[in-house]
Amino acid sequence: ISAEGCEGEEFTVTVTISAEPVVADQAVIVCSDEAIGVTLNQSTTTSISVAKYIIKDIDSNGLTATSGVTNTIPNTEITSDGLKDDSYSNNSNNPVDVVYTIVPLSAQGVEGGAFTLTVTVNPKPIVAAQVIEVCSGEELGIDFNASSTIAVASYEITEILIDGTT
């Protein structure tokens, strides 16, 4: 309708609405200082595949990124394996969750709803170095568990150095 009140010809507006990818929440459990090694699950609850992912937020719950590893910076686009080298150091006595908020992105550039990746970072036992002195033929009598901040289930001896003794 014009300013003078004249009605114009009818026309059609066609709007194409592209579907969005929908991805379920995901979780992984790792030990402190280990790469999370996750490949984001690309299966969606719709038929729309995920081309990329956008990291919207990382809540580390007080954990620090392990030095030497470049952790993902929020608002960057990544591929499904873009987080596999991220790692966190957990020096507490309890598991701590690092929560990533991630948005899937279709090949057509349509953002889906955000989902979370929860990485449970388990602490590892820290055993202080110990020096003991015993006489020949005596038992060592070491109680390694007493030196740890976290209960140790077992030990793996990786090397024994013997300086001329049997």
Side-chain angles (χ1 to χ4, degrees):
I1 299 181
S2 70
E4 292 79 25
C6 298
E7 194 171 302
E9 293 292 319
E10 184 178 294
F11 63 95
T12 302
V13 175
T14 303
V15 178
T16 302
I17 300 174
S18 299
E20 65 181 44
V22 178
V23 178
D25 292 342
Q26 300 171 42
V28 65
I29 299 171
V30 297
C31 292
S32 179
D33 302 316
E34 291 181 356
I36 66 175
V38 71
T39 297
L40 294 171
N41 184 350
Q42 291 194 26
S43 65
T44 66
T45 57
T46 65
S47 61
I48 306 304
S49 63
V50 179
K52 295 180 183 178
Y53 297 88
I54 303 169
I55 304 302
K56 290 295 187 178
D57 185 48
I58 302 171
D59 183 355
S60 63
N61 285 311
L63 296 186
T64 56
T66 301
S67 62
V69 176
T70 304
N71 286 66
T72 306
I73 300 168
N75 293 316
T76 56
E77 290 183 6
I78 62 166
T79 59
S80 62
D81 65 350
L83 301 175
K84 70 179 183 176
D85 293 329
D86 283 9
S87 66
Y88 295 88
S89 187
N90 181 358
N91 294 319
S92 75
N93 290 331
N94 300 301
V96 176
D97 289 341
V98 174
V99 181
Y100 291 80
T101 302
I102 304 169
V103 172
L105 188 65
S106 74
Q108 292 75 32
V110 178
E111 288 187 10
F115 68 96
T116 59
L117 167 66
T118 302
V119 180
T120 301
V121 181
N122 288 321
K124 36 183 193 182
I126 301 171
V127 179
Q130 300 176 37
V131 177
I132 61 167
E133 190 174 314
V134 296
C135 293
S136 178
E138 290 182 350
E139 291 183 13
L140 297 179
I142 299 174
D143 182 3
F144 293 117
N145 282 334
S147 299
S148 179
T149 57
I150 298 170
V152 177
S154 64
Y155 293 91
E156 178 181 329
I157 298 173
T158 57
E159 184 176 14
I160 298 177
L161 300 174
I162 300 175
D163 293 331
T165 59
T166 55

